[in-house]
Amino acid sequence: MCALAVTGLGLTGCAGEDPDAGTNGVGKLAADKIQAKAQAAAGVVDTVRLSGTVVAGGKSYKLDMSLKSDGATGSVTADGAAFHLLRVDEELYLKADAAFWKHEDGKSDDAGSDTAAAGKLDDKYVKVPTGDPSYKKFSGFTDKDLLLDSVLTLHGSLDKDGHHEQAGVRTIRITGDGGSGGTLDVSLEGKPYPLRLVRAGGAGTLTFSAWGKDFTLEEPAKGETVDYGKELPTS
């Protein structure tokens, strides 16, 4: 049995072997067909874990979200501040420490008041009002279909970039405009799920895992929840 060889295009099999032998066969398709297969596979599955970075509106967000059709749970880090998001159906909650809330609620001239208010919100699930400007932005990080639709399309002319591996899974990589339009690694094992995406224009790198692995979403207990009202502090 010979070892896999590494070439400029990624992993290859032994001389004369078919690198797609024993796979789901998508590696033999044209790049646009591979992208379509990956999008279709992602669209019909109920759950996925998405992690990595997304650059949007000039800001970089670090995400680690478990997503399903009716909600999500996970963490977001932006500008050095980390917080937890939980959405169950239409109800969205944000949980962070007192330092986060003190920073956010910076309009007040009363430092003592700021500290007291932040203390009440410390490590509590704060319900995000649907009319608050933060609701649309933060809920977007919890919307499986919206997130996947926005990131799983490469830009420009599509081509294949050889066989690779992600987390021990064989993949076929496709590129947009030679990589400047993004790259996508698609699983060659089982369903052709997307496994890793490098977004165009340096807009972040995302990995996808736990496709189809269900998890439980529950609204937090009343003792863990604060209803701040119609608008979050300094939203």
Side-chain angles (χ1 to χ4, degrees), residues 95-172:
K95 183 168 75 169
D97 60 18
F100 173 90
W101 290 112
K102 187 176 180 181
H103 172 73
E104 289 297 300
D105 198 13
K107 286 185 175 181
S108 172
D109 294 326
D110 186 346
S113 176
D114 287 349
T115 300
K120 293 179 181 178
L121 302 179
D122 180 33
D123 210 31
K124 296 285 188 180
Y125 282 98
V126 179
K127 188 174 181 180
V128 183
T130 55
D132 188 277
S134 297
Y135 184 91
K136 183 177 181 180
K137 176 171 69 174
F138 290 148
S139 64
F141 292 134
T142 69
D143 189 321
K144 170 184 171 286
D145 292 337
L146 178 65
L147 272 175
L148 295 184
D149 287 348
S150 66
V151 301
L152 287 182
T153 299
L154 302 179
H155 303 283
S157 177
L158 300 183
D159 204 350
K160 293 195 289 188
D161 187 29
H163 293 71
H164 296 262
E165 185 177 292
Q166 294 296 326
V169 178
R170 288 181 293 171
T171 67
I172 184 71

Side-chain angles (χ1 to χ4, degrees), residues 26-51:
V26 297
K28 296 181 178 182
L29 303 177
D32 60 334
K33 299 295 185 183
I34 296 172
Q35 177 175 258
K37 288 278 190 182
Q39 290 172 333
V44 298
V45 74
D46 290 332
T47 59
V48 64
R49 181 176 179 181
L50 179 152
S51 58

Side-chain angles (χ1 to χ4, degrees), residues 25-81:
V26 297
K28 296 181 178 182
L29 303 177
D32 60 334
K33 299 295 185 183
I34 296 172
Q35 177 175 258
K37 288 278 190 182
Q39 290 172 333
V44 298
V45 74
D46 290 332
T47 59
V48 64
R49 181 176 179 181
L50 179 152
S51 58
T53 57
V54 171
V55 179
K59 278 192 174 185
S60 178
Y61 299 90
K62 184 178 179 181
L63 308 179
D64 188 358
M65 300 295 301
S66 293
L67 306 160
K68 61 194 314 183
S69 57
D70 58 351
T73 182
S75 64
V76 179
T77 302
D79 294 331

Side-chain angles (χ1 to χ4, degrees), residues 4 11-14 16-23 27-28 163 170-171 188:
L4 291 176
L11 299 175
T12 63
C14 306
E17 285 191 3
D18 180 359
D20 292 299
T23 71
K28 296 181 178 182
H163 293 71
R170 288 181 293 171
T171 67
L188 289 174

